[in-house]
Amino acid sequence: KDLEVRLGLTLCRRGRGEQRHSGEIRVCIEPSLPTSYVLKCLLARDRAIMMFGKLRVWDTEHNNGVLIYLLLAEHRIEIVADRGLNRFVDAAQWQAIMAAMRGAFRSGQFEAGLNDAIAAVDALLAQHFALAPGAVNANELPDAPHFR
């Protein structure tokens, strides 16, 4: 519960960062794959894509939503980005963000690792979807992390 509170505060602060661009960042943290995924031999990536849809991260005006998915039991990290942002960001950039997060997590720096990943995604969104002066991000998605 303490982790949820700390991450919630982190993500609320992150919401203020979304004022620089029109993108949306969601974080989803699950303890394990649902049994149905295990029985079907589906992977963390499959679940991340499903949660991208379920949490409606795809449903942004500029198709620039990003889901950072953490599967705790398997120590898996996935980033799923909508097509608007993926036009500008290649797989190597996403892999670098995930690798940095993995390294921080291995060192026990969970909050710092997640904060740095969010900041990296935020910077990509600001680079490619910067708001015009005086424009406001409509905040189309909740800032709070999704926990199952």
Side-chain angles (χ1 to χ4, degrees):
K1 193 65 176 170
D2 183 48
L3 177 62
E4 285 185 43
V5 171
R6 289 194 324 261
L7 289 177
L9 291 173
T10 294
L11 295 172
C12 286
R13 285 191 297 269
R14 186 257 313 150
R16 291 192 293 271
E18 286 181 351
Q19 295 173 2
R20 302 179 319 133
H21 55 74
S22 63
E24 295 291 331
I25 304 170
R26 288 287 326 251
V27 174
C28 177
I29 302 171
E30 295 189 311
S32 61
L33 283 175
T35 304
S36 62
Y37 278 70
V38 175
L39 293 174
K40 293 177 187 174
C41 297
L42 296 173
L43 304 173
R45 182 74 183 170
D46 301 312
R47 181 64 177 174
I49 292 168
M50 168 62 90
M51 293 309 294
F52 180 85
K54 185 175 181 178
L55 297 174
R56 302 183 65 85
V57 180
W58 58 269
D59 193 16
T60 60
E61 183 178 352
H62 301 287
N63 299 309
N64 57 0
V66 178
L67 176 69
I68 299 174
Y69 177 81
L70 306 177
L71 183 60
L72 302 179
E74 295 185 18
H75 300 226
R76 296 284 307 175
I77 300 167
E78 299 288 343
I79 296 178
V80 182
D82 208 345
R83 63 189 178 276
L85 185 57
N86 268 338
R87 278 192 300 237
F88 303 107
V89 180
D90 64 27
Q93 288 175 283
W94 295 125
Q95 290 299 325
I97 293 169
M98 289 187 291
M101 198 177 350
R102 247 182 242 106
F105 288 3
R106 283 189 186 117
S107 300
Q109 299 174 348
F110 302 105
E111 288 179 75
L114 182 56
N115 283 334
D116 290 349
I118 290 168
V121 173
D122 189 65
L124 289 170
L125 286 164
Q127 177 183 351
H128 299 293
F129 291 94
L131 289 174
V136 176
N137 182 330
N139 202 24
E140 300 169 87
L141 299 173
D143 291 333
H146 175 82
F147 290 94
R148 177 180 64 90

